[in-house]
CSV table of all heavy atoms in Angstrom, one decimal:
chain,number,residue,atom,x,y,z
Z,1,GLY,N,-5.8,-53.0,31.2
Z,1,GLY,CA,-5.4,-51.5,31.4
Z,1,GLY,C,-4.1,-51.4,31.8
Z,1,GLY,O,-3.1,-52.2,31.7
Z,2,PRO,N,-3.8,-50.2,32.4
Z,2,PRO,CA,-2.4,-49.8,32.9
Z,2,PRO,C,-1.9,-50.7,33.9
Z,2,PRO,O,-2.6,-51.1,34.7
Z,2,PRO,CB,-2.5,-48.3,33.4
Z,2,PRO,CG,-4.1,-48.2,33.8
Z,2,PRO,CD,-4.8,-49.0,32.8
Z,3,PRO,N,-0.6,-51.1,33.9
Z,3,PRO,CA,-0.1,-52.1,34.8
Z,3,PRO,C,-0.1,-51.6,36.2
Z,3,PRO,O,0.2,-50.4,36.6
Z,3,PRO,CB,1.3,-52.2,34.2
Z,3,PRO,CG,1.6,-51.0,33.6
Z,3,PRO,CD,0.5,-50.5,33.0
Z,4,VAL,N,-0.4,-52.6,37.1
Z,4,VAL,CA,-0.3,-52.4,38.6
Z,4,VAL,C,1.1,-52.8,38.9
Z,4,VAL,O,1.5,-53.8,38.7
Z,4,VAL,CB,-1.4,-53.2,39.4
Z,4,VAL,CG1,-1.0,-53.1,40.8
Z,4,VAL,CG2,-2.7,-52.7,39.1
Z,5,ILE,N,1.9,-51.7,39.5
Z,5,ILE,CA,3.2,-52.0,39.9
Z,5,ILE,C,3.4,-52.5,41.4
Z,5,ILE,O,4.4,-52.9,41.8
Z,5,ILE,CB,4.2,-50.8,39.5
Z,5,ILE,CG1,3.8,-49.7,40.3
Z,5,ILE,CG2,4.2,-50.6,38.1
Z,5,ILE,CD1,4.7,-48.5,40.1
Z,6,ALA,N,2.4,-52.2,42.2
Z,6,ALA,CA,2.5,-52.5,43.6
Z,6,ALA,C,0.9,-52.6,44.1
Z,6,ALA,O,0.2,-51.8,43.7
Z,6,ALA,CB,3.2,-51.4,44.4
Z,7,LEU,N,0.8,-53.6,45.0
Z,7,LEU,CA,-0.5,-53.7,45.6
Z,7,LEU,C,-0.2,-54.4,47.0
Z,7,LEU,O,0.6,-55.4,47.1
Z,7,LEU,CB,-1.4,-54.7,44.7
Z,7,LEU,CG,-2.8,-54.9,45.2
Z,7,LEU,CD1,-3.6,-53.5,45.0
Z,7,LEU,CD2,-3.4,-55.9,44.5
Z,8,VAL,N,-0.8,-53.9,48.0
Z,8,VAL,CA,-0.7,-54.3,49.3
Z,8,VAL,C,-2.0,-54.6,50.0
Z,8,VAL,O,-3.0,-54.1,49.7
Z,8,VAL,CB,0.2,-53.4,50.2
Z,8,VAL,CG1,1.6,-53.1,49.7
Z,8,VAL,CG2,-0.5,-52.0,50.5
Z,9,LEU,N,-2.0,-55.5,51.0
Z,9,LEU,CA,-3.1,-55.7,52.0
Z,9,LEU,C,-3.0,-54.7,53.1
Z,9,LEU,O,-1.9,-54.7,53.9
Z,9,LEU,CB,-3.0,-57.2,52.5
Z,9,LEU,CG,-4.1,-57.4,53.5
Z,9,LEU,CD1,-5.5,-57.4,52.9
Z,9,LEU,CD2,-3.8,-58.9,54.2
Z,10,SER,N,-3.9,-53.8,53.2
Z,10,SER,CA,-3.8,-52.7,54.2
Z,10,SER,C,-5.0,-53.0,55.2
Z,10,SER,O,-5.4,-54.1,55.5
Z,10,SER,CB,-4.0,-51.4,53.5
Z,10,SER,OG,-3.8,-50.3,54.4
Z,11,GLY,N,-5.4,-51.9,56.0
Z,11,GLY,CA,-6.5,-52.0,56.8
Z,11,GLY,C,-6.2,-52.8,58.0
Z,11,GLY,O,-5.0,-52.9,58.5
Z,12,ALA,N,-7.2,-53.3,58.7
Z,12,ALA,CA,-7.1,-54.1,59.9
Z,12,ALA,C,-6.1,-55.1,60.0
Z,12,ALA,O,-5.4,-55.4,61.0
Z,12,ALA,CB,-8.5,-54.6,60.4
Z,13,HIS,N,-5.9,-55.8,58.8
Z,13,HIS,CA,-4.9,-56.9,58.8
Z,13,HIS,C,-3.5,-56.4,59.0
Z,13,HIS,O,-2.7,-56.9,59.7
Z,13,HIS,CB,-4.9,-57.6,57.5
Z,13,HIS,CG,-6.2,-58.5,57.3
Z,13,HIS,ND1,-7.4,-58.0,56.8
Z,13,HIS,CD2,-6.4,-59.8,57.7
Z,13,HIS,CE1,-8.3,-59.0,56.9
Z,13,HIS,NE2,-7.8,-60.2,57.4
Z,14,ALA,N,-3.1,-55.3,58.3
Z,14,ALA,CA,-1.9,-54.6,58.4
Z,14,ALA,C,-1.7,-54.1,59.9
Z,14,ALA,O,-0.5,-53.9,60.3
Z,14,ALA,CB,-1.6,-53.6,57.5
Z,15,TYR,N,-2.8,-53.7,60.4
Z,15,TYR,CA,-2.8,-53.0,61.8
Z,15,TYR,C,-2.8,-54.0,62.9
Z,15,TYR,O,-2.5,-53.5,64.1
Z,15,TYR,CB,-4.0,-52.1,61.9
Z,15,TYR,CG,-4.1,-51.1,60.7
Z,15,TYR,CD1,-5.4,-50.5,60.5
Z,15,TYR,CD2,-3.1,-50.7,59.9
Z,15,TYR,CE1,-5.6,-49.5,59.6
Z,15,TYR,CE2,-3.3,-49.8,59.0
Z,15,TYR,CZ,-4.5,-49.2,58.7
Z,15,TYR,OH,-4.7,-48.3,57.7
Z,16,GLY,N,-3.0,-55.2,62.8
Z,16,GLY,CA,-2.8,-56.3,63.7
Z,16,GLY,C,-4.0,-56.6,64.4
Z,16,GLY,O,-4.1,-57.4,65.5
Z,17,PHE,N,-5.3,-56.1,63.9
Z,17,PHE,CA,-6.5,-56.5,64.7
Z,17,PHE,C,-7.7,-56.7,63.8
Z,17,PHE,O,-8.7,-56.2,63.9
Z,17,PHE,CB,-6.8,-55.4,65.6
Z,17,PHE,CG,-6.6,-54.0,65.2
Z,17,PHE,CD1,-7.6,-53.4,64.3
Z,17,PHE,CD2,-5.6,-53.2,65.6
Z,17,PHE,CE1,-7.4,-52.1,63.8
Z,17,PHE,CE2,-5.5,-51.8,65.1
Z,17,PHE,CZ,-6.5,-51.3,64.3
Z,18,PRO,N,-7.5,-57.7,62.8
Z,18,PRO,CA,-8.7,-58.0,62.0
Z,18,PRO,C,-9.8,-58.8,62.9
Z,18,PRO,O,-9.3,-59.5,63.7
Z,18,PRO,CB,-8.1,-58.9,60.8
Z,18,PRO,CG,-6.8,-59.5,61.6
Z,18,PRO,CD,-6.3,-58.5,62.5
Z,19,SER,N,-11.0,-58.5,62.5
Z,19,SER,CA,-12.1,-59.3,63.0
Z,19,SER,C,-12.6,-60.4,62.0
Z,19,SER,O,-12.2,-60.3,60.9
Z,19,SER,CB,-13.2,-58.3,63.4
Z,19,SER,OG,-12.8,-57.3,64.1
Z,20,PRO,N,-13.3,-61.4,62.5
Z,20,PRO,CA,-13.9,-62.3,61.5
Z,20,PRO,C,-14.5,-61.8,60.3
Z,20,PRO,O,-14.5,-62.5,59.3
Z,20,PRO,CB,-14.7,-63.3,62.4
Z,20,PRO,CG,-14.3,-63.1,63.8
Z,20,PRO,CD,-13.7,-61.7,63.9
Z,21,ASP,N,-15.2,-60.6,60.6
Z,21,ASP,CA,-15.9,-60.0,59.5
Z,21,ASP,C,-15.2,-58.9,58.9
Z,21,ASP,O,-15.8,-58.0,58.1
Z,21,ASP,CB,-17.4,-59.6,59.8
Z,21,ASP,CG,-17.3,-58.7,61.2
Z,21,ASP,OD1,-16.2,-58.5,61.8
Z,21,ASP,OD2,-18.3,-58.0,61.5
Z,22,SER,N,-13.8,-58.8,59.1
Z,22,SER,CA,-13.1,-57.6,58.4
Z,22,SER,C,-13.1,-57.9,56.9
Z,22,SER,O,-12.8,-59.0,56.5
Z,22,SER,CB,-11.7,-57.5,59.0
Z,22,SER,OG,-11.6,-57.2,60.3
Z,23,ASP,N,-13.2,-56.7,56.1
Z,23,ASP,CA,-12.9,-56.8,54.7
Z,23,ASP,C,-11.5,-57.0,54.4
Z,23,ASP,O,-10.6,-56.9,55.2
Z,23,ASP,CB,-13.6,-55.8,53.9
Z,23,ASP,CG,-13.0,-54.4,54.3
Z,23,ASP,OD1,-11.9,-54.4,55.1
Z,23,ASP,OD2,-13.3,-53.4,53.7
Z,24,LEU,N,-11.2,-57.2,53.0
Z,24,LEU,CA,-9.8,-57.2,52.6
Z,24,LEU,C,-9.7,-55.9,51.9
Z,24,LEU,O,-10.3,-55.6,51.0
Z,24,LEU,CB,-9.6,-58.4,51.6
Z,24,LEU,CG,-9.6,-59.8,52.2
Z,24,LEU,CD1,-9.2,-60.8,51.1
Z,24,LEU,CD2,-8.7,-59.9,53.4
Z,25,ASP,N,-8.7,-55.1,52.4
Z,25,ASP,CA,-8.5,-53.7,52.0
Z,25,ASP,C,-7.2,-53.7,51.1
Z,25,ASP,O,-6.1,-53.8,51.6
Z,25,ASP,CB,-8.2,-52.9,53.1
Z,25,ASP,CG,-8.5,-51.4,53.0
Z,25,ASP,OD1,-8.8,-51.1,51.9
Z,25,ASP,OD2,-8.2,-50.6,53.9
Z,26,LEU,N,-7.4,-53.7,49.8
Z,26,LEU,CA,-6.3,-53.8,48.8
Z,26,LEU,C,-6.0,-52.6,48.2
Z,26,LEU,O,-6.9,-51.8,47.5
Z,26,LEU,CB,-6.8,-54.8,47.8
Z,26,LEU,CG,-7.5,-56.2,48.3
Z,26,LEU,CD1,-8.0,-57.0,47.1
Z,26,LEU,CD2,-6.6,-56.9,49.2
Z,27,LYS,N,-4.8,-52.1,48.4
Z,27,LYS,CA,-4.4,-50.7,47.9
Z,27,LYS,C,-3.2,-50.8,46.9
Z,27,LYS,O,-2.2,-51.4,47.4
Z,27,LYS,CB,-4.1,-49.7,49.2
Z,27,LYS,CG,-5.4,-49.6,50.2
Z,27,LYS,CD,-6.6,-49.0,49.4
Z,27,LYS,CE,-7.7,-49.0,50.4
Z,27,LYS,NZ,-9.1,-48.5,49.7
Z,28,GLY,N,-3.2,-50.1,45.9
Z,28,GLY,CA,-2.2,-50.2,45.0
Z,28,GLY,C,-1.9,-48.9,44.2
Z,28,GLY,O,-2.5,-48.0,44.3
Z,29,THR,N,-0.9,-49.1,43.4
Z,29,THR,CA,-0.4,-48.1,42.4
Z,29,THR,C,-0.2,-48.6,40.9
Z,29,THR,O,0.4,-49.6,40.7
Z,29,THR,CB,1.1,-47.6,42.9
Z,29,THR,OG1,0.9,-47.2,44.2
Z,29,THR,CG2,1.5,-46.4,42.1
Z,30,HIS,N,-0.8,-47.9,40.0
Z,30,HIS,CA,-0.6,-48.2,38.7
Z,30,HIS,C,0.0,-47.0,37.8
Z,30,HIS,O,0.1,-45.9,38.4
Z,30,HIS,CB,-1.9,-48.6,38.0
Z,30,HIS,CG,-3.0,-47.5,37.9
Z,30,HIS,ND1,-3.9,-47.2,38.9
Z,30,HIS,CD2,-3.2,-46.4,37.0
Z,30,HIS,CE1,-4.7,-46.1,38.4
Z,30,HIS,NE2,-4.1,-45.6,37.4
Z,31,VAL,N,0.3,-47.4,36.7
Z,31,VAL,CA,1.0,-46.4,35.8
Z,31,VAL,C,0.2,-46.0,34.6
Z,31,VAL,O,-0.2,-46.9,33.8
Z,31,VAL,CB,2.4,-46.7,35.3
Z,31,VAL,CG1,3.1,-45.7,34.5
Z,31,VAL,CG2,3.2,-47.3,36.5
Z,32,GLU,N,-0.3,-44.8,34.4
Z,32,GLU,CA,-1.0,-44.2,33.2
Z,32,GLU,C,0.1,-43.8,32.3
Z,32,GLU,O,1.2,-43.1,32.6
Z,32,GLU,CB,-1.9,-43.1,33.6
Z,32,GLU,CG,-3.0,-43.3,34.5
Z,32,GLU,CD,-4.1,-44.1,33.8
Z,32,GLU,OE1,-4.0,-44.3,32.6
Z,32,GLU,OE2,-5.0,-44.6,34.5
Z,33,GLY,N,0.0,-44.1,30.9
Z,33,GLY,CA,1.0,-43.7,29.9
Z,33,GLY,C,0.7,-42.2,29.6
Z,33,GLY,O,-0.2,-41.7,29.9
Z,34,ALA,N,1.9,-41.7,29.0
Z,34,ALA,CA,1.9,-40.2,28.7
Z,34,ALA,C,0.7,-40.1,27.7
Z,34,ALA,O,0.1,-38.9,27.8
Z,34,ALA,CB,3.2,-39.9,28.1
Z,35,GLU,N,0.4,-40.9,26.8
Z,35,GLU,CA,-0.6,-40.6,25.8
Z,35,GLU,C,-2.0,-40.2,26.4
Z,35,GLU,O,-2.6,-39.3,26.2
Z,35,GLU,CB,-0.7,-41.7,24.9
Z,35,GLU,CG,-1.8,-41.5,23.7
Z,35,GLU,CD,-1.9,-42.6,22.9
Z,35,GLU,OE1,-1.1,-43.6,22.8
Z,35,GLU,OE2,-3.0,-42.6,22.1
Z,36,ARG,N,-2.3,-41.1,27.4
Z,36,ARG,CA,-3.6,-40.9,28.2
Z,36,ARG,C,-3.7,-39.6,28.9
Z,36,ARG,O,-4.6,-38.8,28.9
Z,36,ARG,CB,-3.9,-42.0,29.1
Z,36,ARG,CG,-5.1,-41.8,30.0
Z,36,ARG,CD,-5.4,-43.0,30.8
Z,36,ARG,NE,-6.4,-42.5,31.9
Z,36,ARG,CZ,-7.7,-42.5,31.6
Z,36,ARG,NH1,-8.1,-43.0,30.5
Z,36,ARG,NH2,-8.6,-42.3,32.5
Z,37,LEU,N,-2.5,-39.2,29.6
Z,37,LEU,CA,-2.5,-38.1,30.3
Z,37,LEU,C,-2.5,-36.8,29.5
Z,37,LEU,O,-2.9,-35.7,30.0
Z,37,LEU,CB,-1.2,-38.0,31.2
Z,37,LEU,CG,-1.1,-39.1,32.2
Z,37,LEU,CD1,0.3,-39.1,33.0
Z,37,LEU,CD2,-2.2,-39.1,33.2
Z,38,LEU,N,-2.1,-36.8,28.2
Z,38,LEU,CA,-2.0,-35.7,27.3
Z,38,LEU,C,-3.3,-35.5,26.7
Z,38,LEU,O,-3.5,-34.5,25.9
Z,38,LEU,CB,-1.0,-35.7,26.4
Z,38,LEU,CG,0.4,-35.8,27.0
Z,38,LEU,CD1,1.6,-36.0,26.0
Z,38,LEU,CD2,0.6,-34.3,27.7
Z,39,ARG,N,-4.3,-36.5,26.6
Z,39,ARG,CA,-5.6,-36.1,26.0
Z,39,ARG,C,-6.4,-35.2,26.6
Z,39,ARG,O,-6.3,-34.9,27.8
Z,39,ARG,CB,-6.4,-37.7,26.0
Z,39,ARG,CG,-5.7,-38.8,25.3
Z,39,ARG,CD,-6.5,-40.0,25.5
Z,39,ARG,NE,-5.9,-41.1,24.9
Z,39,ARG,CZ,-6.4,-42.4,25.0
Z,39,ARG,NH1,-7.4,-42.6,25.7
Z,39,ARG,NH2,-5.7,-43.3,24.3
Z,40,ILE,N,-7.3,-34.6,25.8
Z,40,ILE,CA,-8.1,-33.6,26.2
Z,40,ILE,C,-9.2,-34.3,27.3
Z,40,ILE,O,-9.8,-35.2,27.0
Z,40,ILE,CB,-9.0,-33.0,25.1
Z,40,ILE,CG1,-8.0,-32.2,24.2
Z,40,ILE,CG2,-10.1,-32.0,25.6
Z,40,ILE,CD1,-8.7,-31.6,22.9
Z,41,GLY,N,-9.2,-33.6,28.4
Z,41,GLY,CA,-10.1,-34.1,29.4
Z,41,GLY,C,-9.8,-35.4,30.3
Z,41,GLY,O,-10.6,-35.9,31.0
């Protein structure tokens, strides 16, 4: 699909206090092409 240009580890790991059962919070940004954005709906 559309390319991911950035992805970071967020959540408790980035905040300095992960627990043994903390999840991995992965947040990123991708790019939709103009053709998709111009389609109906």
Side-chain angles (χ1 to χ4, degrees):
V4 173
I5 61 172
L7 187 71
V8 299
L9 177 64
S10 184
H13 288 88
Y15 306 156
F17 44 75
S19 306
D21 53 347
S22 291
D23 66 359
L24 295 184
D25 201 6
L26 316 174
K27 303 301 178 187
T29 304
H30 66 265
V31 182
E32 297 285 355
E35 181 180 352
R36 173 180 170 80
L37 296 179
L38 293 172
R39 291 176 185 171
I40 296 174

